[in-house]
Amino acid sequence: MIKKKCFMLLLIIIGGVFIRDTEVQAQSLPRLSGMFIRTDLVASPEDAQTQRRQPWGKTQYQSISANLAQANMSILIPQISVSYIDAQRQIFYYPTRRFQATDKSSVTERSQLSYALQSAKDNNIDVYLPLQLSESSWFQALYDHFESPESQAFLKQSASFSIQVADEMIQLYGASYASQIKGFYLPFEVDNANLYEGQALERWIKYYLQPVTAHLRDLLPEGRILTSPLLYTNLVQPSRNDVAKWNSLWRSVFDQTEVDTLMPQDGAGWESSSADQLGTWYRSMSDMIAVSNSDRKLQGRSANVELWNNPESYSMSGSKSMDMTRLMKNMEVVDPYVKQHISFSAHSLMPMSETFLAGQTNNEAYYRAYIESQQLGYIPQKIVTKPAVNYTIANHNNIVFNITRTGEETGYAVYRTMEGKRIKIKDVYAEKGKVTTSFTDNQVLPGADVTYEIMAFDAFGNRSAPYTSTLTLPPTIADGISDYKINSPSINMRALSTGLPVETLTFADQSEGFSYEGDRVVATRLTQHRAYVSWTEKRDDYTVQQQIYTDAQGFAHLRLDLGKAENIQAIGMSFLQDRNASIRIPASIQYEVDGHIYATAKQPSLAQIDFTQPVIGDNTYQAGENWYWGFPSAKTQGKVIDIKIKLEYNSYLFMRELIVL
């Protein structure tokens, strides 16, 4: 350490040497070669009107491309050219000629690819043209393993549509932007779970990849064809079989198609992986690609297959940016094996006004931190000022913290110690321009002795000394927390609220309670539940996780023991589903109380329905919260509740609340 300090002083004295050695040092950190732009995140006039924000225009794209160039990034990938809703409705992000009858886009939406290409040309940035995306239909077909005639027809129709879109984009932009267009991006996402069953892989290759990539190769013989599959490590080391299946899948793709660039997403990403597991996956993929290139040589084909990385630098919960320490740590693990790092997405790192749809709080600070780290070649250690904090207790056991900004921090890490167990509650992000940031902890047991630590952090990942406080809460009724029963005499309710990791990850967000209107039970906001905390970081904090398993019939199980026989009027569970259909609700729920089956809705109920009656509804695959209710055939008592969850697809399951009335 002393030698290093002396060396740095010498470099400062000898100016020219300092510059050259700084450049050498900068190579010690991996760098981003470019970024994605998710077009439909930035272009929706409806969302812009709701949020009082503006869809992106020419100026915003110019700003993004200029900042990419300033950060020595040279690649921009607009992720989608067309949002395919159905055969009669599409949203085009370029001015279509061939599909005018089905184009439902606005003038601004139709300009997005033109803006991206022109800004790239003005800033000497390469572009990979995206194909169309029909996200909901794609995942439905993928999770079906392309077994049904409908799923196979979808693949064939998607191939035909993709080819026509590629033709139209080249006709429209090929001449003006020939120097920028370096290839194509295939936006359909596969993962390391759903192409191993039956003939799923063969059908995907035969019906989609072969015709599409052969056509793309004819359009741009020297262009690269990129794909960015989802790689879920599940935060465990992969087995030899996991790695072998994954590599065998992609060898088949490289042998039989013109795909030549594998770029796993989440590969150094926020939610589903960490540096501990990534090396095994990427090292094995690198070896597989070397073998694939040898095979292609024997076939008389171009041996130019490459492994890239798509490090997602944002959180799935609110799209907050990853600090430089963690991002670089993850990228360093895979850097020896990859040619490029293309991060999803620009909306999490590039500075932009919050008047635009994709503007994220503190982007500018994270962008500056990235630039500085790259210039230095390491993550600098900086002093972060301890935050100023005060708190109040609302409703007996909701602790409301008000945190005052004291420096350049981008947020605050909040920890709680209760009954000797210290856990991280969440990261609270400071909003740009706001002096005070508020956070409420709703999870504390009545009568508990609890200690809090709150540390400010900056965009590099440096932390301040902690603010600490210890307090004792009065003995009263608590809000819903993991496996804790609420007894509320006013509405005769008992609730058990919990996060439920059935597949890979899950979170509980906001509890729903109930009240009576006469003899009817109606939904109303009663309790506040734990805000999102990634269970992937603190899996042990979810106390019911050990009770979850999946049987041979595909049912996930959960058992609750009430401790003694109790009157039970109804059991309800709610699940969240995202708009992309990658987070799915269950196909059905089955409740048993002491072995007796309750009458259960086969599909989710509708909001504000009469919960005293059995209900049915449509599984519409739309974003929102969906409740499943079970009712006894007659008044009943019971002690042990068994819940069987039937999954329609092998996908994520986000449980929001479990209520026992």
Side-chain angles (χ1 to χ4, degrees), residues 579-654:
R579 65 178 179 82
N580 297 327
S582 55
I583 310 302
R584 306 303 292 267
I585 55 178
S588 64
I589 298 287
Q590 179 177 311
Y591 300 109
E592 295 180 6
V593 179
D594 292 345
H596 300 290
I597 298 176
Y598 272 38
T600 308
K602 293 184 178 179
Q603 297 290 358
S605 62
L606 305 177
Q608 299 299 326
I609 201 162
D610 182 353
F611 294 122
T612 62
Q613 300 297 322
V615 291
I616 59 172
D618 292 328
N619 193 339
T620 59
Y621 309 117
Q622 298 300 312
E625 182 178 18
N626 299 272
W627 281 89
Y628 291 75
W629 284 92
F631 303 89
S633 56
K635 186 175 181 180
T636 185
Q637 284 193 333
K639 176 176 178 286
V640 177
I641 299 171
D642 286 298
I643 301 169
K644 298 181 179 180
I645 304 170
K646 182 69 172 180
L647 302 178
E648 187 169 5
Y649 300 106
N650 181 19
S651 60
Y652 290 145
L653 188 64
F654 282 60

Side-chain angles (χ1 to χ4, degrees), residues 523-589:
T524 183
R525 183 76 56 190
L526 177 71
T527 62
Q528 295 183 10
H529 194 33
R530 67 170 71 206
Y532 171 77
V533 180
S534 173
W535 84 274
T536 58
E537 294 184 6
K538 291 291 181 181
R539 287 176 288 179
D540 294 340
D541 295 340
Y542 288 83
T543 57
V544 302
Q545 185 188 353
Q546 296 83 356
Q547 303 170 43
I548 305 300
Y549 65 95
T550 303
D551 65 16
Q553 287 72 44
F555 283 97
H557 290 234
L558 167 65
R559 168 167 287 189
L560 299 173
D561 191 334
L562 302 180
K564 63 178 181 178
E566 300 278 4
N567 291 327
I568 300 175
Q569 302 176 63
I571 305 167
M573 298 180 77
S574 72
F575 294 83
L576 297 179
Q577 179 170 297
D578 74 0
R579 65 178 179 82
N580 297 327
S582 55
I583 310 302
R584 306 303 292 267
I585 55 178
S588 64
I589 298 287

Side-chain angles (χ1 to χ4, degrees), residues 247-364:
N247 287 333
S248 176
L249 184 161
W250 289 106
R251 276 195 65 184
S252 296
V253 170
F254 298 140
D255 287 347
Q256 300 177 57
T257 78
E258 292 299 312
V259 173
D260 57 19
T261 307
L262 178 62
M263 179 170 47
Q265 61 178 286
D266 296 346
W270 185 292
E271 299 289 351
S272 63
S273 57
S274 71
D276 297 335
Q277 300 87 36
L278 290 170
T280 304
W281 285 102
Y282 276 73
R283 182 170 55 252
S284 65
M285 280 189 283
S286 178
D287 293 341
M288 175 271 294
I289 283 175
V291 174
S292 294
N293 278 323
S294 297
D295 290 344
R296 287 166 73 112
K297 276 186 180 179
L298 294 175
Q299 297 171 4
R301 302 168 63 200
S302 174
N304 63 343
V305 179
E306 292 183 358
L307 179 61
W308 294 11
N309 180 39
N310 177 357
E312 291 196 350
S313 59
Y314 74 101
S315 163
M316 297 293 285
S317 58
S319 299
K320 306 301 184 184
S321 298
M322 185 187 292
D323 67 61
M324 291 306 111
T325 297
R326 182 175 173 190
L327 179 62
M328 291 300 146
K329 180 181 178 182
N330 287 357
M331 288 172 62
E332 281 174 339
V333 175
V334 306
D335 196 56
Y337 312 112
V338 302
K339 298 286 188 181
Q340 311 272 10
H341 297 275
I342 313 294
S343 179
F344 185 85
S345 158
H347 71 272
S348 68
L349 186 65
M350 292 293 107
M352 61 185 70
S353 167
E354 292 188 22
T355 59
F356 293 98
L357 283 178
Q360 299 298 323
T361 298
N362 298 316
N363 267 22
E364 188 172 350

Side-chain angles (χ1 to χ4, degrees), residues 393-540:
I393 300 176
N395 300 323
H396 302 292
N397 69 309
N398 294 328
I399 303 123
V400 182
F401 292 95
N402 291 305
I403 310 170
T404 302
R405 182 191 293 270
T406 56
E408 295 298 315
E409 67 264 33
T410 57
Y412 311 93
V414 183
Y415 289 81
R416 179 184 62 226
T417 301
M418 189 165 59
E419 296 180 348
K421 188 174 184 180
R422 181 180 184 264
I423 67 169
K424 181 180 180 180
I425 302 175
K426 68 179 302 183
D427 287 334
V428 182
Y429 285 82
E431 293 186 31
K432 185 178 179 181
K434 285 187 66 174
V435 176
T436 302
T437 300
S438 295
F439 162 70
T440 302
D441 185 6
N442 309 301
Q443 305 178 58
V444 183
L445 290 167
D449 294 317
V450 58
T451 298
Y452 289 93
E453 302 164 75
I454 300 177
M455 289 166 276
F457 56 78
D458 64 12
F460 296 100
N462 297 305
R463 290 190 176 189
S464 71
Y467 157 87
T468 60
S469 64
T470 301
L471 59 152
T472 300
L473 294 174
T476 185
I477 297 170
D479 282 330
I481 63 169
S482 290
D483 70 358
Y484 182 78
K485 305 176 184 65
I486 301 175
N487 290 291
S488 178
S490 61
I491 60 170
N492 188 28
M493 189 196 78
R494 179 178 297 106
L496 295 93
S497 305
T498 180
L500 179 63
V502 174
E503 281 283 325
T504 307
L505 62 93
T506 187
F507 62 89
D509 185 5
Q510 189 80 33
S511 298
E512 293 290 338
F514 296 87
S515 63
Y516 285 95
E517 291 181 3
D519 295 327
R520 296 177 66 248
V521 183
V522 295
T524 183
R525 183 76 56 190
L526 177 71
T527 62
Q528 295 183 10
H529 194 33
R530 67 170 71 206
Y532 171 77
V533 180
S534 173
W535 84 274
T536 58
E537 294 184 6
K538 291 291 181 181
R539 287 176 288 179
D540 294 340

Side-chain angles (χ1 to χ4, degrees), residues 112-383:
Q112 296 295 302
L113 279 181
S114 301
Y115 292 156
L117 283 162
Q118 185 59 51
S119 69
K121 184 174 184 178
D122 293 343
N123 291 278
N124 196 30
I125 289 175
D126 296 337
V127 174
Y128 291 84
L129 292 176
L131 297 186
Q132 56 104 5
L133 186 65
S134 178
E135 204 156 34
S136 178
S137 298
W138 166 259
F139 281 113
Q140 189 170 349
L142 176 66
Y143 298 150
D144 179 52
H145 308 300
F146 309 124
E147 289 287 343
S148 69
E150 293 80 11
S151 295
Q152 293 171 43
F154 168 77
L155 282 179
K156 296 172 185 177
Q157 292 161 5
S158 295
S160 175
F161 192 77
S162 291
I163 287 169
Q164 294 177 74
V165 167
D167 283 344
E168 192 167 53
M169 285 192 296
I170 291 297
Q171 291 165 10
L172 190 62
Y173 299 122
S176 300
Y177 301 105
S179 298
Q180 278 64 55
I181 298 173
K182 299 299 182 183
F184 291 92
Y185 169 65
L186 307 177
F188 286 136
E189 297 176 350
V190 302
D191 58 39
N192 51 322
N194 285 293
L195 283 173
Y196 305 137
E197 300 292 331
Q199 295 179 291
L201 176 60
E202 290 81 358
R203 286 168 177 150
W204 180 49
I205 290 174
K206 179 180 179 180
Y207 297 144
Y208 184 79
L209 287 183
Q210 282 182 339
V212 171
T213 61
H215 190 79
L216 299 181
R217 181 63 65 219
D218 288 341
L219 283 178
L220 287 180
E222 302 301 319
R224 301 201 70 82
I225 301 175
L226 284 55
T227 184
S228 190
L230 297 154
L231 178 61
Y232 295 123
T233 73
N234 299 334
L235 294 177
V236 295
Q237 286 293 338
S239 68
R240 184 174 298 179
N241 186 51
D242 292 334
V243 172
K245 287 197 302 182
W246 179 247
N247 287 333
S248 176
L249 184 161
W250 289 106
R251 276 195 65 184
S252 296
V253 170
F254 298 140
D255 287 347
Q256 300 177 57
T257 78
E258 292 299 312
V259 173
D260 57 19
T261 307
L262 178 62
M263 179 170 47
Q265 61 178 286
D266 296 346
W270 185 292
E271 299 289 351
S272 63
S273 57
S274 71
D276 297 335
Q277 300 87 36
L278 290 170
T280 304
W281 285 102
Y282 276 73
R283 182 170 55 252
S284 65
M285 280 189 283
S286 178
D287 293 341
M288 175 271 294
I289 283 175
V291 174
S292 294
N293 278 323
S294 297
D295 290 344
R296 287 166 73 112
K297 276 186 180 179
L298 294 175
Q299 297 171 4
R301 302 168 63 200
S302 174
N304 63 343
V305 179
E306 292 183 358
L307 179 61
W308 294 11
N309 180 39
N310 177 357
E312 291 196 350
S313 59
Y314 74 101
S315 163
M316 297 293 285
S317 58
S319 299
K320 306 301 184 184
S321 298
M322 185 187 292
D323 67 61
M324 291 306 111
T325 297
R326 182 175 173 190
L327 179 62
M328 291 300 146
K329 180 181 178 182
N330 287 357
M331 288 172 62
E332 281 174 339
V333 175
V334 306
D335 196 56
Y337 312 112
V338 302
K339 298 286 188 181
Q340 311 272 10
H341 297 275
I342 313 294
S343 179
F344 185 85
S345 158
H347 71 272
S348 68
L349 186 65
M350 292 293 107
M352 61 185 70
S353 167
E354 292 188 22
T355 59
F356 293 98
L357 283 178
Q360 299 298 323
T361 298
N362 298 316
N363 267 22
E364 188 172 350
Y366 285 93
Y367 177 76
R368 290 199 312 266
Y370 174 79
I371 295 289
E372 184 174 345
S373 299
Q374 291 292 312
Q375 290 173 341
L376 292 171
Y378 58 89
I379 306 297
Q381 294 186 2
K382 299 194 174 187
I383 295 174

